[in-house]
Amino acid sequence: MNPRAGVLFAAGALLAGTVAALPASASPAPQSPTTTPANGPDGRPAAGPTTRPAAPLIWKSCGSPRYPRLQCATLKVPLDHDDPKSRTISLALSRVPHTAKTSQGPLLVNPGGPGGSGLAMAGFVAASLPPKLAAQYDVVGFDPRGVGRSEPALNCRPGHFAPVRHDSVPRDAATERAGLARARAFAEACGTRHGDLLRHMDTVSAAHDLDAIRRALGAERLNYFGYSYGTYLGAVYAKLHPERVRRFVLDSMVDPKGVWYANNLAQDFAFDARHKAFLAWVAEHDAVYGLGKDPAAVEAAWYRMRDELRSAPAGDKVGPGELEDTFLPGGYYNGYWPQLAEAFAAYATEKDTAPLVAAYEDLGAPDVSSDNGYSVYTSVQCRDTAWPRDWRVWRADNWVAHGKAPFSTWNNAWYNAPCAFWPVEPRTPVDVTNGKVPPMLLFQATDDAATPYEGGVRLHRAVAGSRLVVEEGGGNHAVTLGGNACLDAHLVRYLESGTVPRAAAGGTGAADASCAALPAPEPAKKTSATSRTAPAPEPATGGAALHGLLGHRR
């Protein structure tokens, strides 16, 4: 699930126009340190030997106001890693270089997706870690193949998410036929526009790209920090290149046994539960929002709003599907709850649509990177593994799920429906079971909707020696570097020295350490959307900054 129903992926836009426009002070990749620190807890050298890259990357300044130290470079990689002499494509890279005398090597960071740009993520991570620790790493971001400033960038069907779409719930045969036609059109457009690329748009190819980046950086082993879908990419890389793994942080884990059809069905139930948690929070703050103290009554009011928007979309922009797109971010991050509650209350109590339209434009509307992000998302997920080709299977499964979890089940089904018509045959998923890597550090919130808790436990069990740190009662997706000091203390210790929590007794996959969740947000003072003059400056660190960068749907 994507908090913009597949149309967020805005991180790539943060650096757009800056790579070529800013003065470029070129510099080659840094040379390897001449000293090697003592062994870490994994028994291997803490920094590891390095080798000089065959063709040093040329880094140029591409900083933004939020992350002024960013540098950018481009790396050529084979389109087909099984045929290294084949056509090449380019990957856009970013970095914040280390400043300490001794480096711990590159720390590659990935915001998820698939389809999320990682260029600004390097700046976010470097700014969010303690300065002394950040100084020890070259924090490296990248746009995965097909994404953002990497070339060629995919764009299958421009305007696919333009409002107002048909109601996501297929209440009659005509609505279902319209949804199927739209999904089929997207799949066919991808085959027509990018047929030469689609066989190589998958997680295995992306993992081999990671290793090409490692070689270009001159590192013997890789440090990696991935959120959401980035956890699956990291797990696949570790299985394919276990000898290259140094320190891996995986935050909000994809269930490796459910890629991708089963995982999306599991999300439907988890997002519905998270939406109910939001509505209960609105009821708790009835004094502010005036929608009643009974969560069931508040929920009924939300669905009445949805029904009314079917015949009268707010601002000619927000119908039922766009409403789901707008409120889905609240399932990822409760920092959005005050804005969403204000928009909901304004419509439900006064029929004022302005705050609702403003919330849609802030959180749910397509932006300049939406078409690209969704094109990559479908290309990777539809290629990674087999999806049902018989629509009757989708129909039956999603009606059952909708009966128990109506919030976004059919929205999610249509989001993934192009995979029923995908023009390229699927791969066989990688078995990420691994007993050949140093300890990995895993983070998971118990009430995460996008990557439900059970998937984190399953990945923990699959990777021998990994350690699982759980945010008890947490419902946000992506929990480190978002303001929880307890979680971040585990992260910092691991990146500093490789130290992991002591393994839980019994080895059953249970949590090895736990942290209390952050408190729920407080309601914001009501404002009128029409009176806003300019958006507040976006933060460089913290939960709001993190969730502005994540490429979701994993």
Side-chain angles (χ1 to χ4, degrees):
M1 291 267 181
N2 183 352
R4 292 188 176 177
V7 293
L8 177 63
F9 303 108
L14 295 175
L15 297 180
T18 64
V19 174
L22 292 178
S25 55
S27 63
Q31 297 303 308
S32 304
T34 57
T35 60
T36 302
N39 288 359
D42 59 9
R44 299 186 182 187
T50 56
T51 56
R52 294 182 63 177
L57 295 167
I58 303 300
W59 295 95
K60 298 182 179 181
S61 173
C62 62
S64 67
R66 274 198 282 175
Y67 308 117
R69 294 182 57 218
L70 278 173
Q71 301 172 349
C72 291
T74 300
L75 174 66
K76 297 285 187 181
V77 299
L79 175 63
D80 181 357
H81 284 280
D82 291 332
D83 182 8
K85 296 182 180 180
S86 66
R87 169 188 173 185
T88 61
I89 59 175
S90 68
L91 303 179
L93 310 181
S94 65
R95 74 168 181 183
V96 177
H98 76 276
T99 55
K101 290 183 178 180
T102 300
S103 170
Q104 294 212 48
L107 173 63
L108 265 66
V109 296
N110 180 271
S117 169
L119 295 181
M121 183 60 77
F124 169 80
V125 171
S128 300
L129 292 174
K132 185 176 179 181
L133 175 59
Q136 299 172 27
Y137 285 97
D138 293 307
V139 184
V140 178
F142 61 100
D143 277 355
R145 56 175 52 205
V147 175
R149 300 190 68 84
S150 291
E151 294 180 348
L154 272 62
N155 188 350
C156 294
R157 190 171 184 250
H160 186 72
F161 284 96
V164 172
R165 308 192 306 273
H166 64 80
D167 188 348
S168 57
V169 180
R171 302 176 189 278
D172 53 46
T175 303
E176 184 174 19
R177 285 194 299 269
L180 287 172
R182 181 171 173 270
R184 188 190 298 272
F186 188 88
E188 291 176 350
C190 283
T192 299
R193 284 180 170 237
H194 304 297
D196 57 335
L197 301 176
L198 295 187
R199 291 182 182 276
H200 309 289
M201 291 297 301
D202 55 82
T203 300
V204 170
S205 295
H208 289 317
D209 287 344
L210 292 187
D211 206 54
I213 295 172
R214 176 195 61 79
R215 293 194 302 272
L217 294 171
E220 186 69 20
R221 291 188 293 142
L222 192 64
N223 305 290
Y224 178 81
F225 186 177
Y227 290 97
S228 197
Y229 165 77
T231 67
Y232 183 64
L233 175 59
V236 170
Y237 177 88
K239 184 59 180 275
L240 299 177
H241 303 283
E243 74 285 357
R244 300 302 184 187
V245 171
R246 184 172 178 262
R247 292 180 191 151
F248 269 44
V249 178
L250 307 181
D251 184 330
S252 303
M253 275 79 71
V254 167
D255 185 342
K257 297 297 184 182
V259 292
W260 290 109
Y261 183 74
N263 278 357
N264 275 279
L265 287 172
Q267 282 185 326
D268 296 335
F269 297 96
F271 270 102
D272 193 81
R274 196 66 186 144
H275 185 57
K276 284 181 170 63
F278 160 69
L279 297 170
W281 179 86
V282 173
E284 180 182 348
H285 295 287
D286 175 57
V288 177
Y289 301 115
L291 292 169
K293 298 180 179 180
D294 179 6
V298 174
E299 182 175 15
W302 193 90
Y303 282 100
R304 282 196 301 273
M305 174 174 65
R306 187 192 187 284
D307 289 341
E308 292 169 2
L309 292 173
R310 187 184 307 116
S311 58
D316 294 324
K317 292 182 178 181
V318 185
E322 289 76 25
L323 182 74
E324 293 158 351
D325 297 352
T326 302
F327 279 77
L328 200 57
Y332 286 91
Y333 176 52
N334 62 12
Y336 299 135
W337 286 6
Q339 181 183 6
L340 294 172
E342 180 182 338
F344 173 23
Y347 181 92
T349 62
E350 303 172 15
K351 290 298 183 284
D352 181 1
T353 61
L356 188 60
V357 172
Y360 167 69
E361 291 174 343
D362 286 347
L363 300 174
D367 61 24
V368 294
S369 61
S370 304
D371 292 327
N372 170 240
Y374 181 62
S375 297
V376 174
Y377 171 91
T378 48
S379 297
V380 172
Q381 293 217 347
C382 299
R383 171 66 168 148
D384 265 358
T385 185
W387 293 69
R389 305 292 283 193
D390 185 344
W391 182 251
R392 291 173 297 182
V393 175
W394 292 69
R395 180 191 295 128
D397 287 343
N398 282 282
W399 275 121
V400 169
H402 176 81
K404 299 178 180 179
F407 167 55
S408 60
T409 291
W410 274 106
N411 190 311
N412 195 30
W414 294 122
Y415 190 89
N416 290 285
C419 293
F421 309 104
W422 204 245
V424 176
E425 70 277 5
R427 300 187 64 130
T428 300
V430 174
D431 179 359
V432 301
T433 303
N434 204 328
K436 299 181 179 179
V437 292
M440 294 184 181
L441 188 58
L442 317 180
F443 292 90
Q444 185 72 42
T446 56
D447 298 329
D448 183 356
T451 53
Y453 178 76
E454 294 76 14
V457 172
R458 192 167 285 118
L459 183 61
H460 178 31
R461 289 173 176 162
V463 180
S466 64
R467 299 291 192 273
L468 176 62
V469 181
V470 169
E471 186 181 48
E472 293 287 350
N476 288 342
H477 177 66
V479 292
T480 55
L481 301 184
N484 190 315
C486 174
L487 296 173
D488 290 350
H490 287 285
L491 172 69
V492 168
R493 281 193 294 270
Y494 179 69
L495 291 178
E496 281 178 340
S497 63
T499 301
V500 294
R502 185 185 301 273
T508 61
D512 302 299
S514 63
C515 295
L518 295 174
E522 291 295 324
K525 183 178 179 181
K526 286 189 177 182
T527 60
S528 169
T530 57
S531 68
R532 298 190 308 176
T533 56
E538 295 186 17
T541 61
L546 172 61
H547 284 270
L549 293 174
L550 294 181
H552 289 99
R553 277 281 169 174
R554 275 293 157 238

mmCIF file of all heavy atoms in Angstrom, residues 133-166:
data_model
loop_
_atom_site.group_PDB
_atom_site.id
_atom_site.type_symbol
_atom_site.label_atom_id
_atom_site.label_comp_id
_atom_site.label_asym_id
_atom_site.label_seq_id
_atom_site.Cartn_x
_atom_site.Cartn_y
_atom_site.Cartn_z
ATOM 1 N N LEU A 133 28.787 9.429 14.560
ATOM 2 C CA LEU A 133 28.571 8.169 13.851
ATOM 3 C C LEU A 133 28.427 8.408 12.356
ATOM 4 O O LEU A 133 29.042 7.695 11.548
ATOM 5 C CB LEU A 133 27.324 7.471 14.398
ATOM 6 C CG LEU A 133 26.894 6.189 13.685
ATOM 7 C CD1 LEU A 133 28.004 5.144 13.724
ATOM 8 C CD2 LEU A 133 25.605 5.649 14.307
ATOM 9 N N ALA A 134 27.645 9.390 11.974
ATOM 10 C CA ALA A 134 27.464 9.674 10.550
ATOM 11 C C ALA A 134 28.793 9.984 9.875
ATOM 12 O O ALA A 134 29.007 9.639 8.706
ATOM 13 C CB ALA A 134 26.496 10.836 10.368
ATOM 14 N N ALA A 135 29.711 10.596 10.611
ATOM 15 C CA ALA A 135 31.017 10.959 10.049
ATOM 16 C C ALA A 135 31.848 9.748 9.673
ATOM 17 O O ALA A 135 32.805 9.863 8.904
ATOM 18 C CB ALA A 135 31.785 11.826 11.040
ATOM 19 N N GLN A 136 31.497 8.571 10.203
ATOM 20 C CA GLN A 136 32.279 7.359 9.941
ATOM 21 C C GLN A 136 31.845 6.630 8.671
ATOM 22 O O GLN A 136 32.499 5.672 8.257
ATOM 23 C CB GLN A 136 32.160 6.406 11.132
ATOM 24 C CG GLN A 136 32.689 6.977 12.429
ATOM 25 C CD GLN A 136 32.380 6.080 13.608
ATOM 26 O OE1 GLN A 136 32.232 4.866 13.456
ATOM 27 N NE2 GLN A 136 32.258 6.673 14.790
ATOM 28 N N TYR A 137 30.727 7.049 8.082
ATOM 29 C CA TYR A 137 30.194 6.351 6.914
ATOM 30 C C TYR A 137 30.076 7.287 5.724
ATOM 31 O O TYR A 137 29.817 8.491 5.876
ATOM 32 C CB TYR A 137 28.789 5.799 7.215
ATOM 33 C CG TYR A 137 28.764 4.581 8.100
ATOM 34 C CD1 TYR A 137 28.536 4.703 9.472
ATOM 35 C CD2 TYR A 137 28.953 3.303 7.567
ATOM 36 C CE1 TYR A 137 28.499 3.579 10.290
ATOM 37 C CE2 TYR A 137 28.902 2.174 8.378
ATOM 38 C CZ TYR A 137 28.680 2.318 9.737
ATOM 39 O OH TYR A 137 28.643 1.211 10.548
ATOM 40 N N ASP A 138 30.244 6.730 4.547
ATOM 41 C CA ASP A 138 29.760 7.362 3.330
ATOM 42 C C ASP A 138 28.307 6.910 3.185
ATOM 43 O O ASP A 138 28.044 5.756 2.820
ATOM 44 C CB ASP A 138 30.558 6.923 2.104
ATOM 45 C CG ASP A 138 31.989 7.419 2.142
ATOM 46 O OD1 ASP A 138 32.186 8.633 2.313
ATOM 47 O OD2 ASP A 138 32.907 6.598 2.007
ATOM 48 N N VAL A 139 27.370 7.787 3.508
ATOM 49 C CA VAL A 139 25.956 7.430 3.423
ATOM 50 C C VAL A 139 25.522 7.611 1.974
ATOM 51 O O VAL A 139 25.576 8.720 1.428
ATOM 52 C CB VAL A 139 25.103 8.276 4.373
ATOM 53 C CG1 VAL A 139 23.649 7.811 4.316
ATOM 54 C CG2 VAL A 139 25.629 8.182 5.798
ATOM 55 N N VAL A 140 25.120 6.522 1.337
ATOM 56 C CA VAL A 140 24.902 6.497 -0.106
ATOM 57 C C VAL A 140 23.447 6.161 -0.403
ATOM 58 O O VAL A 140 22.928 5.133 0.044
ATOM 59 C CB VAL A 140 25.822 5.466 -0.788
ATOM 60 C CG1 VAL A 140 25.556 5.414 -2.292
ATOM 61 C CG2 VAL A 140 27.287 5.798 -0.513
ATOM 62 N N GLY A 141 22.798 7.029 -1.147
ATOM 63 C CA GLY A 141 21.461 6.760 -1.643
ATOM 64 C C GLY A 141 21.497 6.473 -3.129
ATOM 65 O O GLY A 141 22.500 6.714 -3.805
ATOM 66 N N PHE A 142 20.391 5.974 -3.654
ATOM 67 C CA PHE A 142 20.360 5.664 -5.082
ATOM 68 C C PHE A 142 18.921 5.578 -5.563
ATOM 69 O O PHE A 142 18.012 5.243 -4.800
ATOM 70 C CB PHE A 142 21.094 4.351 -5.375
ATOM 71 C CG PHE A 142 20.500 3.137 -4.695
ATOM 72 C CD1 PHE A 142 19.670 2.270 -5.385
ATOM 73 C CD2 PHE A 142 20.776 2.873 -3.357
ATOM 74 C CE1 PHE A 142 19.114 1.164 -4.753
ATOM 75 C CE2 PHE A 142 20.233 1.755 -2.719
ATOM 76 C CZ PHE A 142 19.398 0.901 -3.418
ATOM 77 N N ASP A 143 18.732 5.897 -6.813
ATOM 78 C CA ASP A 143 17.475 5.611 -7.493
ATOM 79 C C ASP A 143 17.620 4.236 -8.132
ATOM 80 O O ASP A 143 18.465 4.053 -9.025
ATOM 81 C CB ASP A 143 17.186 6.658 -8.568
ATOM 82 C CG ASP A 143 16.543 7.915 -8.003
ATOM 83 O OD1 ASP A 143 16.236 7.927 -6.793
ATOM 84 O OD2 ASP A 143 16.345 8.869 -8.773
ATOM 85 N N PRO A 144 16.837 3.249 -7.698
ATOM 86 C CA PRO A 144 16.926 1.931 -8.330
ATOM 87 C C PRO A 144 16.639 1.990 -9.827
ATOM 88 O O PRO A 144 16.111 2.997 -10.341
ATOM 89 C CB PRO A 144 15.857 1.122 -7.589
ATOM 90 C CG PRO A 144 15.721 1.800 -6.263
ATOM 91 C CD PRO A 144 15.902 3.262 -6.573
ATOM 92 N N ARG A 145 16.977 0.946 -10.525
ATOM 93 C CA ARG A 145 16.763 0.918 -11.972
ATOM 94 C C ARG A 145 15.315 1.284 -12.314
ATOM 95 O O ARG A 145 14.365 0.847 -11.681
ATOM 96 C CB ARG A 145 17.122 -0.431 -12.570
ATOM 97 C CG ARG A 145 16.415 -1.630 -11.971
ATOM 98 C CD ARG A 145 16.757 -2.919 -12.707
ATOM 99 N NE ARG A 145 18.187 -3.138 -12.833
ATOM 100 C CZ ARG A 145 18.765 -3.884 -13.792
ATOM 101 N NH1 ARG A 145 18.002 -4.510 -14.674
ATOM 102 N NH2 ARG A 145 20.064 -4.032 -13.833
ATOM 103 N N GLY A 146 15.210 2.164 -13.277
ATOM 104 C CA GLY A 146 13.897 2.601 -13.729
ATOM 105 C C GLY A 146 13.298 3.751 -12.968
ATOM 106 O O GLY A 146 12.258 4.289 -13.365
ATOM 107 N N VAL A 147 13.923 4.155 -11.859
ATOM 108 C CA VAL A 147 13.328 5.142 -10.949
ATOM 109 C C VAL A 147 13.963 6.511 -11.135
ATOM 110 O O VAL A 147 15.193 6.637 -11.230
ATOM 111 C CB VAL A 147 13.507 4.702 -9.478
ATOM 112 C CG1 VAL A 147 13.010 5.789 -8.523
ATOM 113 C CG2 VAL A 147 12.768 3.392 -9.216
ATOM 114 N N GLY A 148 13.137 7.549 -11.115
ATOM 115 C CA GLY A 148 13.603 8.922 -10.954
ATOM 116 C C GLY A 148 14.650 9.356 -11.946
ATOM 117 O O GLY A 148 14.432 9.418 -13.157
ATOM 118 N N ARG A 149 15.855 9.644 -11.432
ATOM 119 C CA ARG A 149 16.932 10.160 -12.259
ATOM 120 C C ARG A 149 17.800 9.060 -12.855
ATOM 121 O O ARG A 149 18.739 9.348 -13.606
ATOM 122 C CB ARG A 149 17.786 11.152 -11.452
ATOM 123 C CG ARG A 149 16.983 12.353 -10.947
ATOM 124 C CD ARG A 149 17.881 13.429 -10.372
ATOM 125 N NE ARG A 149 18.687 14.054 -11.412
ATOM 126 C CZ ARG A 149 18.288 15.046 -12.197
ATOM 127 N NH1 ARG A 149 17.050 15.510 -12.090
ATOM 128 N NH2 ARG A 149 19.088 15.571 -13.084
ATOM 129 N N SER A 150 17.516 7.799 -12.502
ATOM 130 C CA SER A 150 18.165 6.699 -13.214
ATOM 131 C C SER A 150 17.564 6.613 -14.611
ATOM 132 O O SER A 150 16.413 6.984 -14.833
ATOM 133 C CB SER A 150 17.979 5.381 -12.457
ATOM 134 O OG SER A 150 18.710 5.402 -11.246
ATOM 135 N N GLU A 151 18.365 6.121 -15.556
ATOM 136 C CA GLU A 151 17.913 6.104 -16.948
ATOM 137 C C GLU A 151 18.073 4.714 -17.556
ATOM 138 O O GLU A 151 19.075 4.048 -17.302
ATOM 139 C CB GLU A 151 18.718 7.114 -17.767
ATOM 140 C CG GLU A 151 18.468 8.563 -17.347
ATOM 141 C CD GLU A 151 19.268 9.555 -18.163
ATOM 142 O OE1 GLU A 151 20.195 9.115 -18.903
ATOM 143 O OE2 GLU A 151 18.999 10.758 -18.069
ATOM 144 N N PRO A 152 17.076 4.284 -18.356
ATOM 145 C CA PRO A 152 15.821 4.978 -18.636
ATOM 146 C C PRO A 152 14.852 4.880 -17.458
ATOM 147 O O PRO A 152 14.850 3.887 -16.730
ATOM 148 C CB PRO A 152 15.271 4.231 -19.853
ATOM 149 C CG PRO A 152 15.837 2.852 -19.720
ATOM 150 C CD PRO A 152 17.202 3.013 -19.104
ATOM 151 N N ALA A 153 14.037 5.908 -17.281
ATOM 152 C CA ALA A 153 13.028 5.915 -16.232
ATOM 153 C C ALA A 153 11.695 5.473 -16.826
ATOM 154 O O ALA A 153 11.318 5.917 -17.910
ATOM 155 C CB ALA A 153 12.901 7.304 -15.617
ATOM 156 N N LEU A 154 10.997 4.610 -16.114
ATOM 157 C CA LEU A 154 9.752 4.061 -16.626
ATOM 158 C C LEU A 154 8.594 5.040 -16.446
ATOM 159 O O LEU A 154 8.496 5.724 -15.428
ATOM 160 C CB LEU A 154 9.404 2.749 -15.908
ATOM 161 C CG LEU A 154 9.992 1.464 -16.497
ATOM 162 C CD1 LEU A 154 11.511 1.482 -16.451
ATOM 163 C CD2 LEU A 154 9.449 0.238 -15.769
ATOM 164 N N ASN A 155 7.721 5.062 -17.430
ATOM 165 C CA ASN A 155 6.473 5.820 -17.350
ATOM 166 C C ASN A 155 5.495 5.146 -18.297
ATOM 167 O O ASN A 155 5.435 5.457 -19.476
ATOM 168 C CB ASN A 155 6.684 7.285 -17.718
ATOM 169 C CG ASN A 155 5.444 8.127 -17.447
ATOM 170 O OD1 ASN A 155 4.375 7.608 -17.167
ATOM 171 N ND2 ASN A 155 5.599 9.434 -17.542
ATOM 172 N N CYS A 156 4.728 4.197 -17.757
ATOM 173 C CA CYS A 156 3.906 3.343 -18.613
ATOM 174 C C CYS A 156 2.677 4.045 -19.171
ATOM 175 O O CYS A 156 2.379 3.951 -20.361
ATOM 176 C CB CYS A 156 3.459 2.110 -17.827
ATOM 177 S SG CYS A 156 4.803 0.994 -17.361
ATOM 178 N N ARG A 157 1.958 4.727 -18.322
ATOM 179 C CA ARG A 157 0.663 5.299 -18.742
ATOM 180 C C ARG A 157 0.433 6.606 -18.000
ATOM 181 O O ARG A 157 -0.197 6.633 -16.943
ATOM 182 C CB ARG A 157 -0.459 4.302 -18.460
ATOM 183 C CG ARG A 157 -1.810 4.655 -19.068
ATOM 184 C CD ARG A 157 -2.776 3.479 -18.905
ATOM 185 N NE ARG A 157 -4.041 3.738 -19.560
ATOM 186 C CZ ARG A 157 -5.199 3.953 -18.919
ATOM 187 N NH1 ARG A 157 -5.232 3.940 -17.579
ATOM 188 N NH2 ARG A 157 -6.308 4.167 -19.580
ATOM 189 N N PRO A 158 0.947 7.710 -18.503
ATOM 190 C CA PRO A 158 0.812 8.988 -17.807
ATOM 191 C C PRO A 158 -0.650 9.299 -17.475
ATOM 192 O O PRO A 158 -1.555 9.060 -18.271
ATOM 193 C CB PRO A 158 1.382 9.995 -18.810
ATOM 194 C CG PRO A 158 2.342 9.187 -19.635
ATOM 195 C CD PRO A 158 1.714 7.838 -19.754
ATOM 196 N N GLY A 159 -0.858 9.823 -16.277
ATOM 197 C CA GLY A 159 -2.188 10.208 -15.851
ATOM 198 C C GLY A 159 -3.063 9.080 -15.368
ATOM 199 O O GLY A 159 -4.278 9.253 -15.210
ATOM 200 N N HIS A 160 -2.477 7.930 -15.068
ATOM 201 C CA HIS A 160 -3.266 6.762 -14.672
ATOM 202 C C HIS A 160 -4.088 7.031 -13.411
ATOM 203 O O HIS A 160 -5.159 6.462 -13.234
ATOM 204 C CB HIS A 160 -2.333 5.574 -14.445
ATOM 205 C CG HIS A 160 -3.027 4.275 -14.173
ATOM 206 N ND1 HIS A 160 -3.704 3.575 -15.144
ATOM 207 C CD2 HIS A 160 -3.147 3.544 -13.025
ATOM 208 C CE1 HIS A 160 -4.207 2.469 -14.633
ATOM 209 N NE2 HIS A 160 -3.892 2.423 -13.348
ATOM 210 N N PHE A 161 -3.606 7.895 -12.525
ATOM 211 C CA PHE A 161 -4.297 8.169 -11.265
ATOM 212 C C PHE A 161 -4.989 9.533 -11.253
ATOM 213 O O PHE A 161 -5.338 10.036 -10.190
ATOM 214 C CB PHE A 161 -3.322 8.066 -10.088
ATOM 215 C CG PHE A 161 -3.001 6.646 -9.726
ATOM 216 C CD1 PHE A 161 -1.865 6.039 -10.218
ATOM 217 C CD2 PHE A 161 -3.850 5.915 -8.921
ATOM 218 C CE1 PHE A 161 -1.571 4.726 -9.906
ATOM 219 C CE2 PHE A 161 -3.563 4.598 -8.594
ATOM 220 C CZ PHE A 161 -2.426 3.997 -9.086
ATOM 221 N N ALA A 162 -5.207 10.103 -12.423
ATOM 222 C CA ALA A 162 -5.880 11.397 -12.461
ATOM 223 C C ALA A 162 -7.298 11.266 -11.897
ATOM 224 O O ALA A 162 -8.019 10.315 -12.210
ATOM 225 C CB ALA A 162 -5.935 11.909 -13.896
ATOM 226 N N PRO A 163 -7.715 12.202 -11.052
ATOM 227 C CA PRO A 163 -9.063 12.140 -10.500
ATOM 228 C C PRO A 163 -10.092 12.625 -11.548
ATOM 229 O O PRO A 163 -9.735 13.340 -12.480
ATOM 230 C CB PRO A 163 -8.997 13.101 -9.315
ATOM 231 C CG PRO A 163 -7.946 14.091 -9.695
ATOM 232 C CD PRO A 163 -6.942 13.321 -10.519
ATOM 233 N N VAL A 164 -11.365 12.208 -11.396
ATOM 234 C CA VAL A 164 -11.911 11.337 -10.362
ATOM 235 C C VAL A 164 -12.020 9.930 -10.971
ATOM 236 O O VAL A 164 -12.595 9.777 -12.060
ATOM 237 C CB VAL A 164 -13.293 11.838 -9.902
ATOM 238 C CG1 VAL A 164 -13.964 10.858 -8.968
ATOM 239 C CG2 VAL A 164 -13.188 13.219 -9.267
ATOM 240 N N ARG A 165 -11.485 8.915 -10.284
ATOM 241 C CA ARG A 165 -11.564 7.550 -10.763
ATOM 242 C C ARG A 165 -12.926 6.942 -10.416
ATOM 243 O O ARG A 165 -13.671 7.470 -9.604
ATOM 244 C CB ARG A 165 -10.454 6.692 -10.140
ATOM 245 C CG ARG A 165 -9.071 7.279 -10.296
ATOM 246 C CD ARG A 165 -7.985 6.266 -9.939
ATOM 247 N NE ARG A 165 -8.125 5.669 -8.635
ATOM 248 C CZ ARG A 165 -7.640 6.191 -7.503
ATOM 249 N NH1 ARG A 165 -7.016 7.370 -7.536
ATOM 250 N NH2 ARG A 165 -7.772 5.566 -6.347
ATOM 251 N N HIS A 166 -13.201 5.800 -11.031
ATOM 252 C CA HIS A 166 -14.421 5.087 -10.671
ATOM 253 C C HIS A 166 -14.328 4.623 -9.219
ATOM 254 O O HIS A 166 -13.233 4.470 -8.668
ATOM 255 C CB HIS A 166 -14.641 3.883 -11.601
ATOM 256 C CG HIS A 166 -13.575 2.825 -11.491
ATOM 257 N ND1 HIS A 166 -13.549 1.888 -10.480
ATOM 258 C CD2 HIS A 166 -12.497 2.557 -12.263
ATOM 259 C CE1 HIS A 166 -12.515 1.089 -10.633
ATOM 260 N NE2 HIS A 166 -11.851 1.467 -11.705
#
